Amino acid sequence: MDGVGSFGAGRAGAAFDPIAFIQQPQTILRILSWIFSMVVFGSIINEGYINHGSERLYCVFNKNNNACNYGTTIGLIAFLACIFFIILDMKFQQISSIKDRKKAVMLDIGFSGFWAFMWFVCFCFLANQWQSTTPDELPLNQGADAARAAITFSFFSIFTWVGLTVRAVQKYMLGTDMSLFTTEVMDGNPPVQPYPTVTSTEPNDTYQSPPFTENLDSNAPTYQVPIY
């Protein structure tokens, strides 16, 4: 992992480095997923419907409108989700609460894993309907390129979203560096600075007499040697 702090990020409030952010594997995978999803739903919306022999539009995938609707929905939601998670990744290091970071990582794991499965279903569904499509249903191969593009990039999206899931799991397994946060930050509350303790500097005026002080009394009687 690139980060060395809580769930792959450094200290909360650190400066954001856009160059390092773009170079991260997770960011690259999100950008690729964003492009692939745009190709899928864009191809279906622009050229995925034909009006062969009638004024009504039919889906190029075996005239099954459910296939076109499913591909468009999955691609559009993935497109918006990539934008959301890119913004979340940019703001992730600014999140000071460990609990909030954990929730963000768990959301990434759940959505990325689920959407990788949805892309797998999309690929299988579109590929199956395309195999069932007869040449008579597509005069002059109308919409064939769009159908192939949707199927191809649905397949590529499986791997990018699986990669995002793996990266999110790695961030979760990395856990937290408890030295970066105080107990109050873990609970989501700002740290409270304690009042400074004032050290007593009062002088000690207690007088102590020296242990070996001679007390001389000038009025004490003196001893005289007797004269014989």
Side-chain angles (χ1 to χ4, degrees):
M1 295 296 294
D2 301 325
V4 293
S6 173
F7 295 103
R11 293 181 180 273
F16 175 73
D17 187 356
I19 298 178
F21 175 76
I22 295 176
Q23 293 176 348
Q24 291 179 358
Q26 182 171 345
T27 305
I28 296 175
L29 288 173
R30 292 208 193 280
I31 294 175
L32 290 176
S33 300
W34 179 72
I35 295 174
F36 294 166
S37 63
M38 185 169 49
V39 172
V40 172
F41 81 82
S43 298
I44 297 176
I45 291 176
N46 292 330
E47 301 181 15
Y49 294 90
I50 60 174
N51 54 349
H52 177 56
S54 66
E55 296 181 355
R56 183 180 178 182
L57 294 177
Y58 293 96
C59 178
V60 295
F61 294 99
N62 197 27
K63 293 185 178 181
N64 188 350
N65 290 332
N66 291 330
C68 288
N69 293 336
Y70 183 83
T72 302
T73 303
I74 296 300
L76 184 59
I77 294 177
F79 175 82
L80 298 175
C82 288
I83 297 176
F84 169 78
F85 280 107
I86 288 176
I87 297 175
L88 181 62
D89 292 339
M90 294 174 62
K91 301 295 184 181
F92 188 78
Q93 191 165 331
Q94 307 301 323
I95 301 176
S96 59
S97 174
I98 293 180
K99 291 183 178 180
D100 292 340
R101 287 192 177 190
K102 184 177 180 180
K103 292 178 182 179
V105 174
M106 293 181 65
L107 176 63
D108 193 2
I109 294 174
F111 186 87
S112 298
F114 178 69
W115 225 248
F117 172 75
M118 296 299 287
W119 275 121
F120 174 76
V121 174
C122 181
F123 167 74
C124 295
F125 188 21
L126 296 182
N128 177 264
Q129 294 299 309
W130 181 246
Q131 290 179 348
S132 302
T133 304
T134 60
D136 296 336
E137 297 175 350
L138 298 176
L140 302 177
N141 286 331
Q142 184 180 1
D145 294 337
R148 295 189 184 97
I151 294 173
T152 301
F153 285 95
S154 295
F155 179 75
F156 292 158
S157 296
I158 299 173
F159 297 97
T160 57
W161 283 92
V162 167
L164 289 171
T165 305
V166 173
R167 293 292 297 182
V169 171
Q170 289 177 347
K171 289 175 64 176
Y172 183 81
M173 296 297 294
L174 186 62
T176 60
D177 183 0
M178 302 304 295
S179 64
L180 300 179
F181 298 88
T182 61
T183 305
E184 290 81 3
V185 174
M186 290 178 60
D187 296 335
N189 300 322
V192 178
Q193 296 294 336
Y195 291 102
T197 57
V198 179
T199 304
S200 176
T201 58
E202 297 180 358
N204 189 359
D205 296 334
T206 304
Y207 175 77
Q208 294 180 356
S209 61
F212 300 101
T213 302
E214 295 182 358
N215 296 325
L216 298 179
D217 188 0
S218 58
N219 299 323
T222 60
Y223 178 75
Q224 296 180 357
V225 178
I227 300 174
Y228 296 99

